[in-house]
Amino acid sequence: MCGILGVVATTPVNQLLYDGLQVLQHRGQDAAGIATAEGGRFHMHKGPGLVRDVFRTRNMRNLTGNWGIGHCRYPTAGSAYSAAEAQPFYVNSPFGLMLAHNGNLTNADELRQDMFLQDLRHMNTHSDSEVLLNVLAHELQVASTSHQVTAEIIFTAVAGVHRRVRGAYAVVAMIAGYGLVAFRDPYGIRPLVIGRNDTPQGAEYLVASESVAVDTLGFRLLRDVEPGEAVLIDTRGNFISRQCAERTLHAPCMFEFVYLARPDSVMDGISVYETRARMGDFLADKLKRTLPHLAIDAVIPIPDSSRHSAMDMAARLNLPYREGFVKNRYIGRTFIMPGQATRRKSVRQKLNAIAQEFRGRNVLLVDDSIVRGTTSREIIQMAREAGAKKVYFASASPPVRFANVYGIDMPTRAELIASFRSDEDICREIGADALIYQDLEDLKAAVRSVNPAITRFETSCFDGHYITGDITPAYLQSMEDDRARPSSRTADDGEDGHDGHEGHDGEQLDLNLGR
């Protein structure tokens, strides 16, 4: 999961890209980068840390030009903490390319071998995004019969990428002398939306991971990039699109709606806020069917992503909704912490219980999901210490039992509390008095109720069905083996991965491509 952004405007875009990455910061907190173009020259700055820490005034002044791309990184492939793997990535042949990518390639190792042995391309990092960039560069080189780039050449190259690449990918790329290209994998697993702003100087376009960037930057949401589609915006603001995949199946990642995306975003025509509210309705109905004997005094969310599910759940159960935890917003997200010990330490730094809401009560705590179980266990213990008589726990999504291979950091079954346990075992493990999970079919129904046109979803972490059809037991085992190796990141780094790097200069690139 990363955040990507691309803008073609009539005025300088450095501030637009910076502001857009700020509202996409929840999608990645390890590194950030911006690349802009002015004539035939690319400018880039990137480095480890939050957006606010990577960029200084001097960096922004150097990012000149009216079009560019941005990226905030959440590592799921390559080394966990390496400034070299901050994006965008660059290659100078053909034409000069910059690329930013959200997702995970499942055949990256095979492609890397092909690049080296057949395409004679060398890569400097372990990032699958650099692999993707080199595949695109090679396909452009093959499609081009001259030194000129055209829309037809670009669409042909993207079609070549779709034929060779497997996995999940949403991409924004800059082609020197031409403009911006954005495309999405044939399954539409990772999100990508298009916005437009009409000015006296002409139309401006924006592509981003989530519609919240479109809204906050003053653009109008047009639509989503379709699975397998490529959209081109040249430097004069001309917009053209084409379906480049031979076969497509629209199956967006379900975990985007459960947890990853901001609630004020709309992706694939689905309001994240409305979806999470409907999850609460379905979960309330299941609780009434299966656990009608529970005497619940209050419904309390685990802030923040479960709040909307908890509110609708309380209303449907005709129970009081109460805020029982205060969140310290200056502590990072525990879900993407590098190690269990750090995660345990951070939970109590991040949340504090309001004792008045727990003392002498039976409470139903609602969370968006239970992944490793560590956070759930700590929060339940906090509720008991605050005086709760009984602590019941509800998950707005089904048990997470399987590895995710499409860009979410839960790659091994050994780390997932539900992998080899029954619901009763999980309830005992986290210390709850009762536990209820959302049913997968109810989760799908909740999302479909917002947009009935979407009938398929990528739900592999819940059901073990990998939508791309190419995931083998050997591949999953190799992921587990990689995960088991010592990490390049230490526990002291913290979640944001930028401790000790305040004001880091990052990497500055200024290339004149002679166009």
Side-chain angles (χ1 to χ4, degrees):
M1 181 187 75
C2 297
I4 62 174
L5 184 70
V7 181
V8 177
T10 57
T11 56
V13 294
N14 50 1
Q15 189 68 52
L16 282 173
L17 290 166
Y18 179 88
D19 293 343
L21 289 182
Q22 287 272 44
V23 298
L24 296 175
Q25 184 75 84
H26 61 286
R27 298 189 66 86
Q29 302 172 348
D30 269 51
I34 290 175
T36 60
E38 184 180 33
R41 185 182 294 270
F42 280 159
H43 311 281
M44 182 176 69
H45 180 75
K46 61 181 182 178
L50 300 176
V51 174
R52 70 183 183 217
D53 299 327
V54 171
F55 298 97
R56 294 290 185 261
T57 302
R58 65 182 180 274
N59 311 131
M60 297 298 290
R61 287 197 188 108
N62 293 331
L63 294 170
T64 55
N66 291 359
W67 55 294
I69 61 176
H71 185 272
C72 51
R73 180 175 185 253
Y74 160 68
T76 56
S79 61
Y81 183 59
S82 170
E85 296 190 1
Q87 297 185 43
F89 282 115
Y90 167 78
V91 292
N92 68 348
S93 176
F95 312 119
L97 298 174
M98 288 274 190
L99 179 142
H101 160 229
N102 173 34
N104 188 54
L105 308 188
T106 56
N107 65 336
D109 290 342
E110 174 188 334
L111 289 169
R112 192 175 282 109
Q113 285 292 319
D114 290 346
M115 290 288 104
F116 181 72
L117 297 175
Q118 299 175 24
D119 302 343
L120 304 180
R121 285 183 170 271
H122 171 74
M123 276 156 282
N124 296 310
T125 72
H126 297 290
S127 171
D128 63 334
S129 301
E130 191 183 16
V131 173
L132 183 56
L133 170 62
N134 277 273
V135 173
L136 176 61
H138 177 77
E139 294 300 321
L140 279 168
Q141 197 161 24
V142 170
S144 176
T145 57
S146 68
H147 296 296
Q148 298 298 314
V149 61
T150 65
E152 190 64 35
I153 288 171
I154 295 170
F155 288 136
T156 300
V158 173
V161 170
H162 289 326
R163 284 192 296 270
R164 297 181 67 179
V165 171
R166 300 288 179 267
Y169 50 95
V171 173
V172 290
M174 302 165 69
I175 303 175
Y178 187 88
L180 180 77
V181 57
F183 57 92
R184 199 173 174 195
D185 70 74
Y187 296 88
I189 297 172
R190 300 264 72 88
L192 197 61
V193 302
I194 311 166
R196 173 173 171 147
N197 181 41
D198 293 305
T199 75
Q201 294 77 35
E204 301 178 325
Y205 289 94
L206 178 150
V207 290
S209 294
E210 296 183 30
S211 69
V212 63
V214 176
D215 300 336
T216 58
L217 296 181
F219 284 67
R220 171 173 52 90
L221 181 63
L222 285 182
R223 62 178 179 87
D224 298 87
V225 176
E226 294 297 321
E229 182 187 26
V231 299
L232 302 177
I233 306 113
D234 68 21
T235 54
R236 297 179 298 279
N238 297 312
F239 181 98
I240 183 173
S241 65
R242 183 181 299 179
Q243 177 55 252
C244 297
E246 295 174 1
R247 294 189 302 273
T248 64
L249 172 66
H250 200 170
C253 174
M254 183 63 83
F255 221 71
E256 290 278 356
F257 303 102
V258 169
Y259 175 80
L260 301 179
R262 270 181 46 157
D264 47 344
S265 283
V266 177
M267 304 176 305
D268 294 304
I270 300 167
S271 162
V272 178
Y273 167 81
E274 196 173 348
T275 294
R276 290 177 184 168
R278 293 291 291 137
M279 290 177 193
D281 293 335
F282 279 94
L283 191 55
D285 291 343
K286 181 179 179 181
L287 188 144
K288 285 190 287 187
R289 290 194 312 270
T290 61
L291 296 170
H293 61 281
L294 295 186
I296 301 170
D297 297 314
V299 177
I300 296 175
I302 311 302
D304 283 317
S305 50
S306 65
R307 181 170 283 121
H308 309 111
S309 296
M311 290 179 69
D312 272 51
M313 193 174 185
R316 204 167 184 94
L317 293 171
N318 196 27
L319 290 170
Y321 168 86
R322 307 298 292 176
E323 292 283 348
F325 295 99
V326 175
K327 184 176 182 179
N328 180 350
R329 301 188 183 279
Y330 299 95
I331 299 293
R333 292 167 62 176
T334 58
F335 178 76
I336 57 177
M337 294 292 275
Q340 293 285 76
T342 310
R343 187 174 294 107
R344 290 191 189 97
K345 180 179 70 174
S346 75
V347 171
R348 301 209 178 210
Q349 295 172 339
K350 184 175 182 179
L351 290 178
N352 190 43
I354 301 173
Q356 294 90 326
E357 297 297 343
F358 294 95
R359 194 175 297 123
R361 293 182 176 178
N362 300 331
V363 295
L364 175 65
L365 305 184
V366 182
D367 208 350
D368 53 76
S369 59
I370 305 172
V371 180
R372 297 170 176 90
T374 310
T375 299
S376 304
R377 188 183 307 113
E378 287 288 315
I379 289 172
I380 290 169
Q381 184 60 31
M382 288 171 63
R384 294 196 189 282
E385 291 173 2
K389 289 196 302 183
K390 296 282 187 180
V391 182
Y392 311 121
F393 206 89
S395 169
S397 63
V400 178
R401 301 190 188 278
F402 300 92
N404 184 283
V405 302
Y406 299 123
I408 303 174
D409 187 27
M410 51 171 111
T412 68
R413 297 192 70 186
E415 292 180 282
L416 305 177
I417 191 171
S419 287
F420 307 105
R421 293 181 177 90
S422 67
D423 291 359
E424 292 76 15
D425 291 337
I426 297 167
C427 185
R428 287 192 294 271
E429 187 72 20
I430 65 176
D433 294 293
L435 171 66
I436 184 168
Y437 275 108
Q438 185 86 265
D439 290 333
L440 181 56
E441 290 307 311
D442 284 348
L443 178 61
K444 293 177 181 178
V447 183
R448 285 195 196 105
S449 70
V450 182
N451 182 5
I454 306 295
T455 59
R456 298 286 296 274
F457 300 94
E458 200 297 298
T459 56
S460 58
C461 60
F462 303 124
D463 60 10
H465 173 66
Y466 296 95
I467 198 75
T468 55
D470 61 332
I471 304 304
T472 65
Y475 178 84
L476 295 173
Q477 185 60 53
S478 71
M479 288 189 67
E480 299 227 1
D481 293 344
D482 287 344
R483 182 81 172 191
R485 295 189 185 103
S487 172
S488 61
R489 187 201 303 228
T490 67
D492 290 337
D493 284 332
E495 179 211 12
D496 294 334
H498 69 285
D499 290 6
H501 290 272
E502 188 77 22
H504 191 288
D505 283 339
E507 178 183 344
Q508 193 79 33
L509 178 68
D510 193 13
L511 293 169
N512 187 353
L513 300 176
R515 292 184 177 275

